Amino acid sequence: MPVDTATLRRRCTEEMDATPRGFGDAAWLRDAFLTVPREHFTPPRVWWPSPREDGLYSLIDRDERPNAWLKAVYSTGAPLITQMDDGLIPPAGPAKGAFTSSISSSGVIIELLRHLAPEPGERVLELGTGTGYTTALLATRTGPGTVVSIEVDPSIAERARHNLHSQGLDPLVITGDGEQGHPPAGPFDRIVATASVREIPRAWLEQLRPGGVLLAPLDSPLGCDLLLRLTGTGPGIAHGKFMEKVHFMRVRGQREPRPYADLGWPEHLEAERWQELRVEAGPHGQRIINPAPQRPTAHTARAERPLP
Ligand SMILES: C[S@@+](CC[C@H](N)C(=O)[O-])C[C@H]1O[C@@H](n2cnc3c(N)ncnc32)[C@H](O)[C@@H]1O
């Protein structure tokens, strides 16, 4: 019996409604999720993101296992891996490699777009087009002629263009380095990255209009990315805080680790108090501010007293 994908989307929506991190009061996002066919954006062969016992990632082939493929497409919690090792590994069977592109999990995309909160007619810049699925949800909200999306991998960008245009959506998909943004279309009301960075690129800050919102996963010393929401407060300057713990693929140009101290992180960080951190980013780089540094405990306070 053919599977009705509208029913799968509805079930998936109900599942996300039941979680505290679901659509919240963003009714537009629930509508967009119900409208955009996720299966249209998902390549016919994808890898499941958890390894098998032998360490390889299983390939799910739509033509061989259509039901398993659709189930994976509409699972809320898992991204589906669409590229490994920048495309050096063909999607021909189980494989092991670095994940370099995916269709992000529905749960994470919903979270991202809920925090981004774009309004109809606003100009949006997206970095890391991938399949174009997130781009489609955005364009459904902001309308024709509003979304610019940049993808570094030419073949992925080409596929995303096709995916979007064949759904009657018109985002401008640019093949290039998203870290540079796209000045001719700026300034933007919203900027969203679906690949993480170690440092917010200056070009994004320069292309964000004052009052606009920039949302990006920022690598942190906590062993995960933290979803950073910045508001433009002046030309090339933005302030904000972290919203969620997330895991994203890194942008190509920032894969190499750098010392956190060089990236504006404080020396002492209390892992459980990450929500209290404040961030400022501007022409001189980014600074993560600990507004309430740990007060000395009774033990350390005693140790600091001069010995009698
Ligand atoms: C997690 S995937 C995005 C998935 C997308 N949200 C979706 O659901 O289809 C991250 C994408 O960022 C792209 N990327 C990495 N570095 C980039 C860069 N410097 N500029 C633009 N895109 C980049 C990768 O090629 C990959 O396609």
Side-chain angles (χ1 to χ4, degrees):
M1 195 174 73
V3 183
D4 170 12
T5 56
T7 303
L8 292 178
R9 273 195 292 287
R10 208 188 54 247
R11 275 193 214 138
C12 200
T13 307
E14 285 163 6
E15 203 179 304
M16 284 193 292
D17 269 333
T19 69
R21 291 164 122 192
F23 296 98
D25 53 9
W28 70 267
L29 189 50
R30 186 184 292 101
D31 291 347
F33 188 81
L34 285 167
T35 310
V36 177
R38 189 170 159 87
E39 72 281 7
H40 172 81
F41 291 86
T42 310
R45 290 170 171 193
V46 290
W47 287 282
W48 184 250
S50 312
R52 310 187 307 192
E53 271 182 10
D54 60 3
L56 299 179
Y57 295 89
S58 310
L59 189 78
I60 311 175
D61 186 328
R62 182 186 63 192
D63 298 331
E64 284 175 9
R65 294 192 293 147
N67 288 342
W69 182 84
L70 263 183
K71 193 172 166 207
V73 169
Y74 282 102
S75 67
T76 56
L80 300 177
I81 309 307
T82 55
Q83 190 193 63
M84 286 194 200
D85 289 355
D86 295 329
L88 291 176
I89 300 177
K96 188 174 176 180
F99 298 167
T100 48
S101 193
S102 68
I103 178 160
S104 308
S105 80
S106 299
V108 160
I109 294 176
I110 296 313
E111 208 151 335
L112 220 62
L113 297 187
R114 193 163 48 82
H115 288 302
L116 189 69
E119 295 288 336
E122 284 189 332
R123 300 193 60 73
V124 182
L125 174 66
E126 182 196 30
L127 299 319
T129 318
T131 63
Y133 176 65
T134 314
T135 327
L137 292 172
L138 276 169
T140 304
R141 170 64 166 170
T142 53
T146 56
V147 179
V148 176
S149 185
I150 309 181
E151 169 57 53
V152 74
D153 186 296
S155 60
I156 293 176
E158 188 46 43
R159 226 176 302 136
R161 258 179 228 118
H162 171 78
N163 289 343
L164 288 159
H165 295 166
S166 56
Q167 284 293 301
L169 296 166
D170 76 347
L172 174 63
V173 177
I174 292 172
T175 305
D177 179 6
E179 286 194 58
Q180 307 307 316
H182 187 59
F188 296 95
D189 300 297
R190 311 277 148 168
I191 297 181
V192 59
T194 67
S196 73
V197 289
R198 298 183 192 277
E199 184 166 30
I200 298 294
R202 199 169 300 170
W204 299 357
L205 298 167
E206 286 164 357
Q207 290 167 43
L208 181 69
R209 77 155 168 78
V213 172
L214 191 164
L215 199 70
L218 187 73
D219 173 48
S220 81
L222 304 183
C224 62
D225 298 323
L226 293 176
L227 185 59
L228 175 60
R229 188 182 198 271
L230 292 173
T231 303
T233 44
I237 302 170
H239 288 81
K241 59 181 184 166
F242 296 113
M243 314 306 293
E244 314 279 352
K245 287 184 171 180
V246 287
H247 290 275
F248 272 84
M249 296 167 192
R250 200 86 65 220
V251 295
R252 282 198 187 177
Q254 297 198 30
R255 285 179 181 161
E256 281 304 305
R258 288 170 58 191
Y260 286 107
D262 295 354
L263 294 164
W265 286 88
E267 199 181 331
H268 299 293
L269 206 56
E270 291 169 74
E272 68 283 2
R273 297 179 70 187
W274 60 269
Q275 282 166 306
E276 295 171 30
L277 297 169
R278 292 294 174 266
V279 180
E280 56 182 47
H284 305 296
Q286 66 191 25
R287 202 155 71 92
I288 291 88
I289 303 149
N290 208 339
Q294 189 177 25
R295 272 187 259 120
T297 61
H299 174 74
T300 54
R302 245 197 327 275
E304 279 161 12
R305 272 206 298 270
L307 291 171

PDB file of all heavy atoms in Angstrom, residues 272-303:
ATOM      1  N   GLU A 272      27.526  23.886  33.808  1.00  0.00           N
ATOM      2  CA  GLU A 272      26.062  23.876  33.982  1.00  0.00           C
ATOM      3  C   GLU A 272      25.455  25.285  33.912  1.00  0.00           C
ATOM      4  O   GLU A 272      24.243  25.437  33.883  1.00  0.00           O
ATOM      5  CB  GLU A 272      25.691  23.157  35.294  1.00  0.00           C
ATOM      6  CG  GLU A 272      26.073  23.843  36.577  1.00  0.00           C
ATOM      7  CD  GLU A 272      27.570  23.714  36.916  1.00  0.00           C
ATOM      8  OE1 GLU A 272      28.349  23.120  36.155  1.00  0.00           O
ATOM      9  OE2 GLU A 272      27.956  24.244  37.972  1.00  0.00           O
ATOM     10  N   ARG A 273      26.320  26.332  33.848  1.00  0.00           N
ATOM     11  CA  ARG A 273      25.782  27.698  33.837  1.00  0.00           C
ATOM     12  C   ARG A 273      25.938  28.367  32.457  1.00  0.00           C
ATOM     13  O   ARG A 273      26.031  29.596  32.366  1.00  0.00           O
ATOM     14  CB  ARG A 273      26.466  28.516  34.928  1.00  0.00           C
ATOM     15  CG  ARG A 273      26.166  27.962  36.323  1.00  0.00           C
ATOM     16  CD  ARG A 273      26.856  28.745  37.410  1.00  0.00           C
ATOM     17  NE  ARG A 273      26.292  30.055  37.570  1.00  0.00           N
ATOM     18  CZ  ARG A 273      26.811  30.994  38.378  1.00  0.00           C
ATOM     19  NH1 ARG A 273      27.895  30.736  39.070  1.00  0.00           N
ATOM     20  NH2 ARG A 273      26.237  32.182  38.459  1.00  0.00           N
ATOM     21  N   TRP A 274      25.952  27.533  31.395  1.00  0.00           N
ATOM     22  CA  TRP A 274      26.196  28.085  30.054  1.00  0.00           C
ATOM     23  C   TRP A 274      25.111  29.070  29.624  1.00  0.00           C
ATOM     24  O   TRP A 274      25.361  29.976  28.856  1.00  0.00           O
ATOM     25  CB  TRP A 274      26.339  26.944  29.030  1.00  0.00           C
ATOM     26  CG  TRP A 274      25.128  26.054  28.909  1.00  0.00           C
ATOM     27  CD1 TRP A 274      24.888  24.921  29.614  1.00  0.00           C
ATOM     28  CD2 TRP A 274      23.990  26.243  28.051  1.00  0.00           C
ATOM     29  NE1 TRP A 274      23.676  24.374  29.252  1.00  0.00           N
ATOM     30  CE2 TRP A 274      23.105  25.165  28.286  1.00  0.00           C
ATOM     31  CE3 TRP A 274      23.638  27.196  27.094  1.00  0.00           C
ATOM     32  CZ2 TRP A 274      21.889  25.037  27.610  1.00  0.00           C
ATOM     33  CZ3 TRP A 274      22.424  27.067  26.420  1.00  0.00           C
ATOM     34  CH2 TRP A 274      21.575  25.997  26.685  1.00  0.00           C
ATOM     35  N   GLN A 275      23.887  28.919  30.169  1.00  0.00           N
ATOM     36  CA  GLN A 275      22.802  29.818  29.752  1.00  0.00           C
ATOM     37  C   GLN A 275      22.987  31.245  30.277  1.00  0.00           C
ATOM     38  O   GLN A 275      22.329  32.161  29.822  1.00  0.00           O
ATOM     39  CB  GLN A 275      21.452  29.268  30.205  1.00  0.00           C
ATOM     40  CG  GLN A 275      20.984  28.150  29.284  1.00  0.00           C
ATOM     41  CD  GLN A 275      19.846  27.353  29.871  1.00  0.00           C
ATOM     42  OE1 GLN A 275      19.953  26.847  30.988  1.00  0.00           O
ATOM     43  NE2 GLN A 275      18.772  27.240  29.123  1.00  0.00           N
ATOM     44  N   GLU A 276      23.883  31.392  31.265  1.00  0.00           N
ATOM     45  CA  GLU A 276      24.103  32.730  31.812  1.00  0.00           C
ATOM     46  C   GLU A 276      25.160  33.518  31.032  1.00  0.00           C
ATOM     47  O   GLU A 276      25.320  34.714  31.237  1.00  0.00           O
ATOM     48  CB  GLU A 276      24.545  32.620  33.278  1.00  0.00           C
ATOM     49  CG  GLU A 276      23.468  32.049  34.170  1.00  0.00           C
ATOM     50  CD  GLU A 276      23.980  31.731  35.569  1.00  0.00           C
ATOM     51  OE1 GLU A 276      24.918  32.419  36.038  1.00  0.00           O
ATOM     52  OE2 GLU A 276      23.468  30.792  36.182  1.00  0.00           O
ATOM     53  N   LEU A 277      25.888  32.822  30.160  1.00  0.00           N
ATOM     54  CA  LEU A 277      26.957  33.496  29.415  1.00  0.00           C
ATOM     55  C   LEU A 277      26.361  34.545  28.478  1.00  0.00           C
ATOM     56  O   LEU A 277      25.263  34.353  27.944  1.00  0.00           O
ATOM     57  CB  LEU A 277      27.746  32.482  28.591  1.00  0.00           C
ATOM     58  CG  LEU A 277      28.490  31.402  29.386  1.00  0.00           C
ATOM     59  CD1 LEU A 277      28.997  30.310  28.450  1.00  0.00           C
ATOM     60  CD2 LEU A 277      29.646  32.018  30.169  1.00  0.00           C
ATOM     61  N   ARG A 278      27.072  35.627  28.290  1.00  0.00           N
ATOM     62  CA  ARG A 278      26.662  36.655  27.330  1.00  0.00           C
ATOM     63  C   ARG A 278      27.758  36.775  26.270  1.00  0.00           C
ATOM     64  O   ARG A 278      28.928  36.524  26.561  1.00  0.00           O
ATOM     65  CB  ARG A 278      26.474  38.011  28.028  1.00  0.00           C
ATOM     66  CG  ARG A 278      25.274  38.015  28.989  1.00  0.00           C
ATOM     67  CD  ARG A 278      23.957  37.860  28.232  1.00  0.00           C
ATOM     68  NE  ARG A 278      22.804  37.710  29.106  1.00  0.00           N
ATOM     69  CZ  ARG A 278      22.268  36.558  29.512  1.00  0.00           C
ATOM     70  NH1 ARG A 278      22.816  35.399  29.140  1.00  0.00           N
ATOM     71  NH2 ARG A 278      21.213  36.531  30.287  1.00  0.00           N
ATOM     72  N   VAL A 279      27.352  37.149  25.054  1.00  0.00           N
ATOM     73  CA  VAL A 279      28.316  37.186  23.952  1.00  0.00           C
ATOM     74  C   VAL A 279      28.267  38.540  23.276  1.00  0.00           C
ATOM     75  O   VAL A 279      27.174  39.079  23.043  1.00  0.00           O
ATOM     76  CB  VAL A 279      27.987  36.081  22.908  1.00  0.00           C
ATOM     77  CG1 VAL A 279      28.994  36.103  21.757  1.00  0.00           C
ATOM     78  CG2 VAL A 279      27.959  34.707  23.563  1.00  0.00           C
ATOM     79  N   GLU A 280      29.438  39.100  23.010  1.00  0.00           N
ATOM     80  CA  GLU A 280      29.471  40.268  22.136  1.00  0.00           C
ATOM     81  C   GLU A 280      30.417  39.980  20.993  1.00  0.00           C
ATOM     82  O   GLU A 280      31.449  39.326  21.172  1.00  0.00           O
ATOM     83  CB  GLU A 280      29.823  41.556  22.890  1.00  0.00           C
ATOM     84  CG  GLU A 280      31.108  41.535  23.641  1.00  0.00           C
ATOM     85  CD  GLU A 280      31.363  42.841  24.400  1.00  0.00           C
ATOM     86  OE1 GLU A 280      30.434  43.326  25.084  1.00  0.00           O
ATOM     87  OE2 GLU A 280      32.497  43.340  24.311  1.00  0.00           O
ATOM     88  N   ALA A 281      30.036  40.414  19.800  1.00  0.00           N
ATOM     89  CA  ALA A 281      30.847  40.151  18.614  1.00  0.00           C
ATOM     90  C   ALA A 281      30.899  41.428  17.795  1.00  0.00           C
ATOM     91  O   ALA A 281      29.895  42.129  17.646  1.00  0.00           O
ATOM     92  CB  ALA A 281      30.228  39.018  17.797  1.00  0.00           C
ATOM     93  N   GLY A 282      32.104  41.729  17.323  1.00  0.00           N
ATOM     94  CA  GLY A 282      32.264  42.974  16.560  1.00  0.00           C
ATOM     95  C   GLY A 282      33.534  42.962  15.757  1.00  0.00           C
ATOM     96  O   GLY A 282      34.140  41.905  15.548  1.00  0.00           O
ATOM     97  N   PRO A 283      33.963  44.136  15.333  1.00  0.00           N
ATOM     98  CA  PRO A 283      35.127  44.211  14.445  1.00  0.00           C
ATOM     99  C   PRO A 283      36.391  43.629  15.073  1.00  0.00           C
ATOM    100  O   PRO A 283      37.303  43.224  14.366  1.00  0.00           O
ATOM    101  CB  PRO A 283      35.309  45.710  14.202  1.00  0.00           C
ATOM    102  CG  PRO A 283      34.134  46.389  14.789  1.00  0.00           C
ATOM    103  CD  PRO A 283      33.362  45.441  15.619  1.00  0.00           C
ATOM    104  N   HIS A 284      36.431  43.607  16.402  1.00  0.00           N
ATOM    105  CA  HIS A 284      37.648  43.099  17.048  1.00  0.00           C
ATOM    106  C   HIS A 284      37.527  41.643  17.477  1.00  0.00           C
ATOM    107  O   HIS A 284      38.335  41.141  18.254  1.00  0.00           O
ATOM    108  CB  HIS A 284      38.027  43.986  18.238  1.00  0.00           C
ATOM    109  CG  HIS A 284      38.164  45.425  17.846  1.00  0.00           C
ATOM    110  ND1 HIS A 284      39.122  45.850  16.959  1.00  0.00           N
ATOM    111  CD2 HIS A 284      37.419  46.514  18.161  1.00  0.00           C
ATOM    112  CE1 HIS A 284      38.982  47.153  16.752  1.00  0.00           C
ATOM    113  NE2 HIS A 284      37.942  47.574  17.473  1.00  0.00           N
ATOM    114  N   GLY A 285      36.486  40.968  17.009  1.00  0.00           N
ATOM    115  CA  GLY A 285      36.335  39.548  17.341  1.00  0.00           C
ATOM    116  C   GLY A 285      35.179  39.320  18.293  1.00  0.00           C
ATOM    117  O   GLY A 285      34.331  40.200  18.491  1.00  0.00           O
ATOM    118  N   GLN A 286      35.139  38.151  18.888  1.00  0.00           N
ATOM    119  CA  GLN A 286      34.019  37.805  19.776  1.00  0.00           C
ATOM    120  C   GLN A 286      34.521  37.660  21.210  1.00  0.00           C
ATOM    121  O   GLN A 286      35.672  37.337  21.445  1.00  0.00           O
ATOM    122  CB  GLN A 286      33.363  36.501  19.310  1.00  0.00           C
ATOM    123  CG  GLN A 286      34.256  35.283  19.441  1.00  0.00           C
ATOM    124  CD  GLN A 286      33.699  34.051  18.744  1.00  0.00           C
ATOM    125  OE1 GLN A 286      32.913  34.148  17.808  1.00  0.00           O
ATOM    126  NE2 GLN A 286      34.118  32.879  19.194  1.00  0.00           N
ATOM    127  N   ARG A 287      33.606  37.918  22.133  1.00  0.00           N
ATOM    128  CA  ARG A 287      33.963  37.772  23.543  1.00  0.00           C
ATOM    129  C   ARG A 287      32.803  37.081  24.246  1.00  0.00           C
ATOM    130  O   ARG A 287      31.651  37.502  24.107  1.00  0.00           O
ATOM    131  CB  ARG A 287      34.217  39.154  24.161  1.00  0.00           C
ATOM    132  CG  ARG A 287      35.091  39.113  25.408  1.00  0.00           C
ATOM    133  CD  ARG A 287      35.780  40.454  25.574  1.00  0.00           C
ATOM    134  NE  ARG A 287      34.839  41.494  25.968  1.00  0.00           N
ATOM    135  CZ  ARG A 287      34.567  41.825  27.225  1.00  0.00           C
ATOM    136  NH1 ARG A 287      35.167  41.201  28.227  1.00  0.00           N
ATOM    137  NH2 ARG A 287      33.714  42.788  27.495  1.00  0.00           N
ATOM    138  N   ILE A 288      33.108  36.012  24.951  1.00  0.00           N
ATOM    139  CA  ILE A 288      32.075  35.306  25.702  1.00  0.00           C
ATOM    140  C   ILE A 288      32.269  35.729  27.158  1.00  0.00           C
ATOM    141  O   ILE A 288      33.345  35.540  27.733  1.00  0.00           O
ATOM    142  CB  ILE A 288      32.186  33.780  25.510  1.00  0.00           C
ATOM    143  CG1 ILE A 288      31.814  33.410  24.064  1.00  0.00           C
ATOM    144  CG2 ILE A 288      31.227  33.033  26.423  1.00  0.00           C
ATOM    145  CD1 ILE A 288      32.876  33.421  23.078  1.00  0.00           C
ATOM    146  N   ILE A 289      31.204  36.305  27.708  1.00  0.00           N
ATOM    147  CA  ILE A 289      31.340  36.947  29.016  1.00  0.00           C
ATOM    148  C   ILE A 289      30.601  36.153  30.076  1.00  0.00           C
ATOM    149  O   ILE A 289      29.434  35.789  29.890  1.00  0.00           O
ATOM    150  CB  ILE A 289      30.776  38.394  28.957  1.00  0.00           C
ATOM    151  CG1 ILE A 289      31.506  39.158  27.857  1.00  0.00           C
ATOM    152  CG2 ILE A 289      30.917  39.092  30.296  1.00  0.00           C
ATOM    153  CD1 ILE A 289      30.658  40.210  27.194  1.00  0.00           C
ATOM    154  N   ASN A 290      31.291  35.917  31.141  1.00  0.00           N
ATOM    155  CA  ASN A 290      30.733  35.211  32.275  1.00  0.00           C
ATOM    156  C   ASN A 290      30.205  36.276  33.228  1.00  0.00           C
ATOM    157  O   ASN A 290      30.980  36.903  33.930  1.00  0.00           O
ATOM    158  CB  ASN A 290      31.896  34.452  32.932  1.00  0.00           C
ATOM    159  CG  ASN A 290      31.428  33.233  33.638  1.00  0.00           C
ATOM    160  OD1 ASN A 290      30.249  33.136  33.970  1.00  0.00           O
ATOM    161  ND2 ASN A 290      32.347  32.330  33.888  1.00  0.00           N
ATOM    162  N   PRO A 291      28.895  36.559  33.233  1.00  0.00           N
ATOM    163  CA  PRO A 291      28.438  37.710  34.012  1.00  0.00           C
ATOM    164  C   PRO A 291      28.529  37.493  35.513  1.00  0.00           C
ATOM    165  O   PRO A 291      28.615  38.431  36.272  1.00  0.00           O
ATOM    166  CB  PRO A 291      26.980  37.877  33.583  1.00  0.00           C
ATOM    167  CG  PRO A 291      26.567  36.568  33.050  1.00  0.00           C
ATOM    168  CD  PRO A 291      27.786  35.839  32.599  1.00  0.00           C
ATOM    169  N   ALA A 292      28.488  36.246  35.934  1.00  0.00           N
ATOM    170  CA  ALA A 292      28.540  35.986  37.374  1.00  0.00           C
ATOM    171  C   ALA A 292      29.615  34.943  37.637  1.00  0.00           C
ATOM    172  O   ALA A 292      29.301  33.770  37.810  1.00  0.00           O
ATOM    173  CB  ALA A 292      27.183  35.501  37.853  1.00  0.00           C
ATOM    174  N   PRO A 293      30.887  35.369  37.627  1.00  0.00           N
ATOM    175  CA  PRO A 293      31.937  34.378  37.837  1.00  0.00           C
ATOM    176  C   PRO A 293      31.738  33.689  39.172  1.00  0.00           C
ATOM    177  O   PRO A 293      31.161  34.272  40.106  1.00  0.00           O
ATOM    178  CB  PRO A 293      33.230  35.186  37.846  1.00  0.00           C
ATOM    179  CG  PRO A 293      32.868  36.565  37.442  1.00  0.00           C
ATOM    180  CD  PRO A 293      31.395  36.728  37.566  1.00  0.00           C
ATOM    181  N   GLN A 294      32.182  32.473  39.228  1.00  0.00           N
ATOM    182  CA  GLN A 294      31.984  31.653  40.426  1.00  0.00           C
ATOM    183  C   GLN A 294      32.474  32.396  41.670  1.00  0.00           C
ATOM    184  O   GLN A 294      33.581  32.918  41.694  1.00  0.00           O
ATOM    185  CB  GLN A 294      32.791  30.372  40.266  1.00  0.00           C
ATOM    186  CG  GLN A 294      32.509  29.371  41.322  1.00  0.00           C
ATOM    187  CD  GLN A 294      33.297  28.095  41.057  1.00  0.00           C
ATOM    188  OE1 GLN A 294      34.329  28.097  40.423  1.00  0.00           O
ATOM    189  NE2 GLN A 294      32.777  27.015  41.569  1.00  0.00           N
ATOM    190  N   ARG A 295      31.557  32.461  42.677  1.00  0.00           N
ATOM    191  CA  ARG A 295      31.989  33.054  43.939  1.00  0.00           C
ATOM    192  C   ARG A 295      32.841  32.039  44.685  1.00  0.00           C
ATOM    193  O   ARG A 295      32.616  30.826  44.537  1.00  0.00           O
ATOM    194  CB  ARG A 295      30.777  33.423  44.788  1.00  0.00           C
ATOM    195  CG  ARG A 295      30.294  34.824  44.454  1.00  0.00           C
ATOM    196  CD  ARG A 295      29.222  35.279  45.393  1.00  0.00           C
ATOM    197  NE  ARG A 295      27.916  35.145  44.758  1.00  0.00           N
ATOM    198  CZ  ARG A 295      26.936  34.383  45.221  1.00  0.00           C
ATOM    199  NH1 ARG A 295      27.094  33.676  46.323  1.00  0.00           N
ATOM    200  NH2 ARG A 295      25.794  34.326  44.598  1.00  0.00           N
ATOM    201  N   PRO A 296      33.832  32.497  45.436  1.00  0.00           N
ATOM    202  CA  PRO A 296      34.660  31.518  46.125  1.00  0.00           C
ATOM    203  C   PRO A 296      33.813  30.671  47.057  1.00  0.00           C
ATOM    204  O   PRO A 296      32.907  31.170  47.725  1.00  0.00           O
ATOM    205  CB  PRO A 296      35.649  32.362  46.929  1.00  0.00           C
ATOM    206  CG  PRO A 296      35.381  33.789  46.616  1.00  0.00           C
ATOM    207  CD  PRO A 296      34.171  33.879  45.747  1.00  0.00           C
ATOM    208  N   THR A 297      34.030  29.384  47.049  1.00  0.00           N
ATOM    209  CA  THR A 297      33.308  28.522  47.977  1.00  0.00           C
ATOM    210  C   THR A 297      33.941  28.701  49.361  1.00  0.00           C
ATOM    211  O   THR A 297      35.017  29.284  49.485  1.00  0.00           O
ATOM    212  CB  THR A 297      33.473  27.057  47.565  1.00  0.00           C
ATOM    213  OG1 THR A 297      34.857  26.763  47.615  1.00  0.00           O
ATOM    214  CG2 THR A 297      32.948  26.805  46.173  1.00  0.00           C
ATOM    215  N   ALA A 298      33.263  28.177  50.374  1.00  0.00           N
ATOM    216  CA  ALA A 298      33.800  28.283  51.731  1.00  0.00           C
ATOM    217  C   ALA A 298      35.222  27.723  51.745  1.00  0.00           C
ATOM    218  O   ALA A 298      36.134  28.300  52.330  1.00  0.00           O
ATOM    219  CB  ALA A 298      32.915  27.518  52.684  1.00  0.00           C
ATOM    220  N   HIS A 299      35.388  26.624  50.951  1.00  0.00           N
ATOM    221  CA  HIS A 299      36.684  25.953  50.965  1.00  0.00           C
ATOM    222  C   HIS A 299      37.762  26.865  50.368  1.00  0.00           C
ATOM    223  O   HIS A 299      38.775  27.156  50.985  1.00  0.00           O
ATOM    224  CB  HIS A 299      36.588  24.655  50.170  1.00  0.00           C
ATOM    225  CG  HIS A 299      37.890  23.970  50.015  1.00  0.00           C
ATOM    226  ND1 HIS A 299      38.480  23.307  51.059  1.00  0.00           N
ATOM    227  CD2 HIS A 299      38.731  23.894  48.960  1.00  0.00           C
ATOM    228  CE1 HIS A 299      39.631  22.828  50.635  1.00  0.00           C
ATOM    229  NE2 HIS A 299      39.807  23.172  49.366  1.00  0.00           N
ATOM    230  N   THR A 300      37.474  27.429  49.121  1.00  0.00           N
ATOM    231  CA  THR A 300      38.506  28.253  48.480  1.00  0.00           C
ATOM    232  C   THR A 300      38.694  29.544  49.257  1.00  0.00           C
ATOM    233  O   THR A 300      39.798  30.055  49.365  1.00  0.00           O
ATOM    234  CB  THR A 300      38.151  28.570  47.012  1.00  0.00           C
ATOM    235  OG1 THR A 300      36.862  29.141  46.990  1.00  0.00           O
ATOM    236  CG2 THR A 300      38.189  27.332  46.141  1.00  0.00           C
ATOM    237  N   ALA A 301      37.587  30.097  49.834  1.00  0.00           N
ATOM    238  CA  ALA A 301      37.710  31.342  50.583  1.00  0.00           C
ATOM    239  C   ALA A 301      38.670  31.135  51.750  1.00  0.00           C
ATOM    240  O   ALA A 301      39.532  31.968  52.016  1.00  0.00           O
ATOM    241  CB  ALA A 301      36.343  31.785  51.093  1.00  0.00           C
ATOM    242  N   ARG A 302      38.523  29.980  52.406  1.00  0.00           N
ATOM    243  CA  ARG A 302      39.413  29.705  53.546  1.00  0.00           C
ATOM    244  C   ARG A 302      40.861  29.613  53.069  1.00  0.00           C
ATOM    245  O   ARG A 302      41.751  30.202  53.633  1.00  0.00           O
ATOM    246  CB  ARG A 302      38.994  28.383  54.198  1.00  0.00           C
ATOM    247  CG  ARG A 302      38.489  28.575  55.616  1.00  0.00           C
ATOM    248  CD  ARG A 302      38.462  27.296  56.421  1.00  0.00           C
ATOM    249  NE  ARG A 302      38.183  26.102  55.709  1.00  0.00           N
ATOM    250  CZ  ARG A 302      36.963  25.649  55.426  1.00  0.00           C
ATOM    251  NH1 ARG A 302      35.908  26.321  55.799  1.00  0.00           N
ATOM    252  NH2 ARG A 302      36.797  24.519  54.786  1.00  0.00           N
ATOM    253  N   ALA A 303      41.031  28.927  51.925  1.00  0.00           N
ATOM    254  CA  ALA A 303      42.389  28.704  51.435  1.00  0.00           C
ATOM    255  C   ALA A 303      43.064  30.021  51.071  1.00  0.00           C
ATOM    256  O   ALA A 303      44.270  30.143  51.117  1.00  0.00           O
ATOM    257  CB  ALA A 303      42.343  27.796  50.227  1.00  0.00           C
TER     258      ALA A 303
END
